[in-house]
Amino acid sequence: MMEIPGYDSRPLVHQPELLEEPLFWVGHLYSCVAHDEDTEELLLEAAEVFHRELLERAEWPCFSIPLTAGHLLHVVHRACKNDPGVDYLLHHPSWERALLLARDDGHFMGPALSWPELYSAADNGLPGGSTADPHSRLLLLLPALGDDSTPDSATPRLAAALSTLTAVEAPEELAAAFVYGGAGGASRWTSKNGVRVDDGAYSYRNPSNVFALTPEDLARVSAAFTL
Protein backbone atom coordinates (compact mmCIF):
# COMPACT_ATOMS: atom_id res chain seq x y z
CA MET A 1 0.00 0.00 0.00
CA MET A 2 1.05 3.59 -0.63
CA GLU A 3 0.02 6.87 0.95
CA ILE A 4 0.16 10.35 -0.56
CA PRO A 5 -0.26 13.03 2.14
CA GLY A 6 -3.41 15.05 1.64
CA TYR A 7 -4.77 12.77 -1.09
CA ASP A 8 -7.94 11.03 0.03
CA SER A 9 -8.82 7.99 -1.99
CA ARG A 10 -9.33 4.28 -1.96
CA PRO A 11 -6.22 2.26 -1.08
CA LEU A 12 -3.30 3.07 -3.36
CA VAL A 13 -1.20 0.16 -4.57
CA HIS A 14 2.21 0.48 -6.19
CA GLN A 15 1.90 -1.62 -9.36
CA PRO A 16 4.99 -1.14 -11.55
CA GLU A 17 4.24 -4.47 -13.24
CA LEU A 18 1.43 -2.74 -15.16
CA LEU A 19 4.08 -0.74 -17.02
CA GLU A 20 5.09 -3.97 -18.75
CA GLU A 21 1.58 -4.47 -20.11
CA PRO A 22 1.08 -3.06 -23.66
CA LEU A 23 -2.68 -2.71 -23.17
CA PHE A 24 -2.15 -0.54 -20.10
CA TRP A 25 -0.33 2.04 -22.20
CA VAL A 26 -3.00 2.19 -24.87
CA GLY A 27 -5.64 3.06 -22.28
CA HIS A 28 -3.36 5.43 -20.38
CA LEU A 29 -2.63 7.44 -23.52
CA TYR A 30 -6.20 7.48 -24.83
CA SER A 31 -6.74 11.16 -24.05
CA CYS A 32 -3.56 12.26 -25.85
CA VAL A 33 -5.05 12.39 -29.33
CA ALA A 34 -8.07 13.93 -30.99
CA HIS A 35 -10.12 10.82 -31.68
CA ASP A 36 -11.18 10.24 -35.25
CA GLU A 37 -11.61 7.02 -37.21
CA ASP A 38 -7.92 6.78 -38.09
CA THR A 39 -6.58 7.26 -34.58
CA GLU A 40 -9.23 4.96 -33.13
CA GLU A 41 -7.89 2.20 -35.37
CA LEU A 42 -4.38 2.84 -34.10
CA LEU A 43 -5.53 2.33 -30.50
CA LEU A 44 -6.24 -1.31 -29.78
CA GLU A 45 -9.88 -2.11 -29.04
CA ALA A 46 -8.73 -4.81 -26.61
CA ALA A 47 -7.50 -2.07 -24.29
CA GLU A 48 -11.11 -1.22 -23.47
CA VAL A 49 -11.60 -4.66 -21.90
CA PHE A 50 -8.31 -4.40 -20.00
CA HIS A 51 -9.18 -1.04 -18.50
CA ARG A 52 -12.72 -2.10 -17.66
CA GLU A 53 -11.19 -4.84 -15.52
CA LEU A 54 -8.82 -2.26 -14.01
CA LEU A 55 -11.78 -0.15 -12.89
CA GLU A 56 -13.30 -3.12 -11.10
CA ARG A 57 -10.38 -3.45 -8.69
CA ALA A 58 -10.71 -2.33 -5.08
CA GLU A 59 -7.34 -0.57 -5.14
CA TRP A 60 -6.10 2.32 -7.25
CA PRO A 61 -2.84 1.68 -9.16
CA CYS A 62 -0.18 4.26 -8.35
CA PHE A 63 3.21 5.01 -9.88
CA SER A 64 5.94 7.44 -8.89
CA ILE A 65 8.86 9.16 -10.60
CA PRO A 66 11.71 10.67 -8.56
CA LEU A 67 12.67 14.27 -9.26
CA THR A 68 15.47 16.47 -7.98
CA ALA A 69 16.10 17.05 -4.25
CA GLY A 70 13.85 14.23 -3.06
CA HIS A 71 10.62 15.24 -4.83
CA LEU A 72 8.30 12.53 -6.12
CA LEU A 73 5.82 12.92 -8.96
CA HIS A 74 2.91 10.52 -8.38
CA VAL A 75 0.58 9.21 -11.08
CA VAL A 76 -2.65 7.76 -9.67
CA HIS A 77 -5.19 5.86 -11.74
CA ARG A 78 -8.57 6.57 -10.19
CA ALA A 79 -10.17 3.14 -10.65
CA CYS A 80 -13.65 4.48 -10.06
CA LYS A 81 -16.53 3.50 -12.31
CA ASN A 82 -18.38 6.78 -11.80
CA ASP A 83 -15.34 9.07 -11.98
CA PRO A 84 -12.37 7.37 -13.67
CA GLY A 85 -9.25 9.32 -14.49
CA VAL A 86 -5.60 9.92 -13.72
CA ASP A 87 -4.28 12.37 -11.13
CA TYR A 88 -0.76 13.85 -11.20
CA LEU A 89 0.57 14.98 -7.83
CA LEU A 90 3.89 16.36 -6.63
CA HIS A 91 5.19 15.76 -3.12
CA HIS A 92 8.28 16.29 -1.00
CA PRO A 93 8.90 14.71 2.44
CA SER A 94 9.02 18.17 4.04
CA TRP A 95 5.54 19.13 2.76
CA GLU A 96 2.35 18.59 4.73
CA ARG A 97 0.41 17.59 1.63
CA ALA A 98 0.95 16.81 -2.03
CA LEU A 99 0.17 19.35 -4.75
CA LEU A 100 -2.32 18.36 -7.44
CA LEU A 101 -0.83 19.38 -10.80
CA ALA A 102 -3.24 17.83 -13.30
CA ARG A 103 -6.35 15.66 -13.67
CA ASP A 104 -6.76 13.66 -16.86
CA ASP A 105 -10.46 12.77 -17.09
CA GLY A 106 -13.69 14.01 -18.61
CA HIS A 107 -13.07 17.44 -17.04
CA PHE A 108 -9.35 17.83 -17.75
CA MET A 109 -7.40 20.14 -15.45
CA GLY A 110 -3.88 21.06 -16.49
CA PRO A 111 -1.43 20.91 -18.09
CA ALA A 112 1.18 20.12 -15.47
CA LEU A 113 4.32 20.00 -17.60
CA SER A 114 6.17 21.67 -20.43
CA TRP A 115 8.27 19.66 -22.90
CA PRO A 116 11.57 20.50 -21.12
CA GLU A 117 10.08 19.42 -17.79
CA LEU A 118 8.75 16.20 -19.31
CA TYR A 119 12.17 15.39 -20.72
CA SER A 120 13.81 16.26 -17.40
CA ALA A 121 11.57 13.84 -15.48
CA ALA A 122 12.03 11.10 -18.07
CA ASP A 123 15.79 11.39 -18.39
CA ASN A 124 17.06 12.36 -14.93
CA GLY A 125 18.30 8.83 -14.20
CA LEU A 126 17.43 9.13 -10.51
CA PRO A 127 16.89 5.79 -8.74
CA GLY A 128 13.73 4.79 -6.95
CA GLY A 129 10.15 5.18 -7.98
CA SER A 130 8.29 2.83 -10.28
CA THR A 131 10.70 2.75 -13.19
CA ALA A 132 14.02 4.17 -14.34
CA ASP A 133 13.17 3.52 -17.99
CA PRO A 134 13.00 6.84 -19.93
CA HIS A 135 10.43 5.38 -22.37
CA SER A 136 8.07 4.40 -19.55
CA ARG A 137 8.50 7.71 -17.74
CA LEU A 138 7.89 9.65 -20.95
CA LEU A 139 4.60 7.89 -21.71
CA LEU A 140 3.48 7.85 -18.09
CA LEU A 141 3.67 11.65 -17.91
CA LEU A 142 2.62 12.46 -21.47
CA PRO A 143 -1.10 13.07 -20.70
CA ALA A 144 -0.07 15.84 -18.28
CA LEU A 145 1.86 17.70 -21.00
CA GLY A 146 0.72 20.92 -22.64
CA ASP A 147 3.18 23.10 -24.54
CA ASP A 148 2.97 25.08 -27.78
CA SER A 149 6.75 24.92 -28.26
CA THR A 150 7.42 21.39 -29.50
CA PRO A 151 11.02 20.18 -29.88
CA ASP A 152 12.04 18.48 -33.11
CA SER A 153 12.89 15.36 -31.14
CA ALA A 154 9.35 14.92 -29.79
CA THR A 155 7.86 12.71 -32.51
CA PRO A 156 10.84 10.33 -32.89
CA ARG A 157 11.17 10.01 -29.10
CA LEU A 158 7.50 9.19 -28.67
CA ALA A 159 7.61 6.78 -31.62
CA ALA A 160 10.55 4.94 -30.05
CA ALA A 161 8.70 4.66 -26.73
CA LEU A 162 5.51 3.43 -28.40
CA SER A 163 7.44 0.90 -30.45
CA THR A 164 9.17 -0.42 -27.33
CA LEU A 165 6.26 -0.53 -24.90
CA THR A 166 3.12 -1.10 -26.97
CA ALA A 167 1.87 -3.29 -29.77
CA VAL A 168 0.27 -0.46 -31.76
CA GLU A 169 0.71 -0.39 -35.49
CA ALA A 170 2.35 2.65 -37.11
CA PRO A 171 3.94 4.09 -33.93
CA GLU A 172 5.35 7.03 -35.92
CA GLU A 173 1.86 8.06 -37.04
CA LEU A 174 0.45 7.73 -33.55
CA ALA A 175 3.40 9.66 -32.08
CA ALA A 176 2.68 12.54 -34.46
CA ALA A 177 -0.97 12.51 -33.37
CA PHE A 178 0.13 12.70 -29.74
CA VAL A 179 2.43 15.65 -30.44
CA TYR A 180 -0.26 17.68 -32.17
CA GLY A 181 -3.25 16.56 -30.09
CA GLY A 182 -3.56 15.90 -26.41
CA ALA A 183 -5.80 16.90 -23.57
CA GLY A 184 -3.29 19.46 -22.29
CA GLY A 185 -3.53 21.66 -25.35
CA ALA A 186 -0.92 24.15 -26.49
CA SER A 187 -0.13 26.21 -23.42
CA ARG A 188 2.52 28.91 -23.64
CA TRP A 189 5.16 28.70 -20.92
CA THR A 190 7.13 31.62 -19.51
CA SER A 191 9.62 32.01 -16.67
CA LYS A 192 10.24 34.83 -14.24
CA ASN A 193 12.70 34.71 -11.36
CA GLY A 194 13.04 30.97 -11.91
CA VAL A 195 9.30 30.26 -11.62
CA ARG A 196 7.74 28.67 -14.70
CA VAL A 197 4.05 29.29 -15.39
CA ASP A 198 1.73 28.77 -18.34
CA ASP A 199 -1.39 30.41 -19.74
CA GLY A 200 -3.69 27.37 -19.82
CA ALA A 201 -7.30 28.12 -18.98
CA TYR A 202 -7.53 25.00 -16.81
CA SER A 203 -3.99 24.97 -15.46
CA TYR A 204 -3.07 25.03 -11.79
CA ARG A 205 0.23 26.58 -12.90
CA ASN A 206 -1.43 29.60 -14.48
CA PRO A 207 -1.38 32.31 -11.77
CA SER A 208 -4.25 34.11 -13.52
CA ASN A 209 -6.68 31.29 -12.71
CA VAL A 210 -8.68 31.61 -9.49
CA PHE A 211 -7.88 27.97 -8.64
CA ALA A 212 -4.14 28.32 -9.33
CA LEU A 213 -1.47 27.14 -6.92
CA THR A 214 -0.17 29.78 -4.55
CA PRO A 215 2.96 31.73 -5.57
CA GLU A 216 4.94 29.71 -3.02
CA ASP A 217 3.68 26.42 -4.44
CA LEU A 218 4.31 27.55 -8.02
CA ALA A 219 7.93 28.16 -7.04
CA ARG A 220 8.10 24.74 -5.36
CA VAL A 221 6.89 23.01 -8.52
CA SER A 222 9.46 24.77 -10.69
CA ALA A 223 12.23 23.88 -8.25
CA ALA A 224 11.33 20.19 -8.47
CA PHE A 225 12.31 20.03 -12.15
CA THR A 226 15.93 20.38 -13.18
CA LEU A 227 16.11 21.81 -16.71
Side-chain angles (χ1 to χ4, degrees), residues 131-153:
T131 178
D133 175 44
H135 289 325
S136 297
R137 291 184 175 189
L138 189 72
L139 296 189
L140 197 57
L141 299 180
L142 184 64
L145 170 77
D147 192 343
D148 68 355
S149 181
T150 304
D152 293 338
S153 60

Side-chain angles (χ1 to χ4, degrees), residues 60-144:
W60 292 4
C62 182
F63 314 95
S64 60
I65 294 175
L67 302 178
T68 186
H71 296 86
L72 281 176
L73 188 55
H74 297 290
V75 181
V76 178
H77 271 254
R78 272 185 281 115
C80 179
K81 289 184 178 180
N82 297 325
D83 186 29
V86 183
D87 293 336
Y88 293 82
L89 304 106
L90 180 67
H91 187 247
H92 187 273
S94 66
W95 299 354
E96 182 177 345
R97 58 189 297 117
L99 301 177
L100 178 63
L101 301 186
R103 292 171 62 97
D104 183 21
D105 53 24
H107 303 282
F108 181 84
M109 296 294 293
L113 304 168
S114 64
W115 274 109
E117 291 171 332
L118 175 62
Y119 279 1
S120 173
D123 299 338
N124 64 33
L126 293 172
S130 303
T131 178
D133 175 44
H135 289 325
S136 297
R137 291 184 175 189
L138 189 72
L139 296 189
L140 197 57
L141 299 180
L142 184 64

Side-chain angles (χ1 to χ4, degrees), residues 43-61:
L43 297 169
L44 300 178
E45 292 182 2
E48 182 178 352
V49 176
F50 179 84
H51 277 264
R52 189 182 305 121
E53 295 174 351
L54 194 67
L55 291 177
E56 294 174 352
R57 302 183 184 186
E59 302 86 10
W60 292 4

